[in-house]
Amino acid sequence: MYIPPGPSLINLPKIPDDRGNLSFLENKSHIPFDIKRVYWIYDVPGGEAWGGHAYHHSCEIIIALAGSFDIVVHSGKRSQLFSLNRSYFALLVPPLHWKTMQNFSTNSLALVVSDSHYDPNQYIRDWAQFKELTNV
Ligand code: TYD
C-alpha cells in the first residue's frame, strides 16, 4: 500500500451489531505498513495538549478509541487540523510532519500504531530544524 505524502484520514471497517460496534485494522490492507509498535495516551486532563514533534522516518496511525481530541499536522509549508471523535477513523501521519495533539476530552484514549520501534533519535523536536528539513 502506498504511503501518501501528506496526512490522510482512513475509514476503517465498522461492523454494526446489536451488542454494539466492532472495528479493526490489519497490516497492509487497512494501513500501509507492518506494525512494529502500538502505544496509547490516556488520563490526559481535559483540554490538555500532547506532543509537538516530528519523526525523521516513522509513520503513525492515530485513532480516538474513546472521547475526542484534535491533531494539528504541519508539513513545514501548511498546517491541517483533524478532529478525531469516532473510533472507526484513523489519521495517518507520514514522516517529516510535525504533530501536536490538543483539546483532549476528559477520559479520552488515543491509540497510536507505528511502523517503527521506539527510538529517541527519530524525533525532531526543534521547530527551526524541522523547517530547515522540510523547506527543501
Ligand atoms: P512522546 O510523547 O513520544 O514524546 P515527548 O518526549 O515529546 O513527550 O513520549 C513521552 C515519553 O514516553 C518520553 O519519555 C518517551 C517515552 N516513550 C517510550 O518510552 N516509548 C514509546 O513508544 C513512546 C511513544 C514514548
Side-chain angles (χ1 to χ4, degrees):
M1 238 173 119
Y2 161 76
I3 297 186
S8 68
L9 269 183
I10 300 168
N11 210 342
L12 296 171
K14 178 183 172 196
I15 317 286
D17 191 290
D18 291 343
R19 298 165 292 181
N21 297 318
L22 182 150
S23 288
F24 61 96
L25 57 81
E26 292 181 357
N27 280 355
K28 296 205 167 142
S29 40
H30 304 110
I31 64 170
F33 55 74
D34 284 329
I35 298 166
K36 288 256 180 67
R37 177 168 51 111
V38 177
Y39 63 93
W40 45 100
I41 298 169
Y42 54 99
D43 287 348
V44 180
E48 195 54 77
W50 188 285
H53 53 244
Y55 305 116
H56 286 285
H57 303 294
S58 299
C59 187
E60 286 186 339
I61 301 277
I62 305 169
I63 302 171
L65 282 189
S68 63
F69 47 84
D70 297 334
I71 307 180
V72 180
V73 184
H74 205 298
S75 67
K77 295 185 174 64
R78 74 179 187 125
S79 163
Q80 286 173 272
L81 185 143
F82 297 89
S83 293
L84 295 186
N85 59 8
R86 293 278 181 264
S87 57
Y88 51 85
F89 280 127
L91 178 66
L92 184 148
V93 183
L96 284 180
H97 281 71
W98 191 274
K99 171 194 79 178
T100 308
M101 302 166 77
Q102 59 191 36
N103 201 20
F104 280 82
S105 69
T106 304
N107 292 328
S108 54
L109 171 59
L111 182 78
V112 187
V113 176
S114 172
D115 67 352
S116 329
H117 293 142
Y118 176 68
D119 175 3
N121 295 320
Q122 275 286 324
Y123 283 64
I124 305 164
R125 298 179 184 285
D126 180 62
W127 179 256
Q129 185 199 1
F130 173 69
K131 289 291 282 180
E132 223 169 86
L133 286 168
T134 51
N135 278 320
V136 284

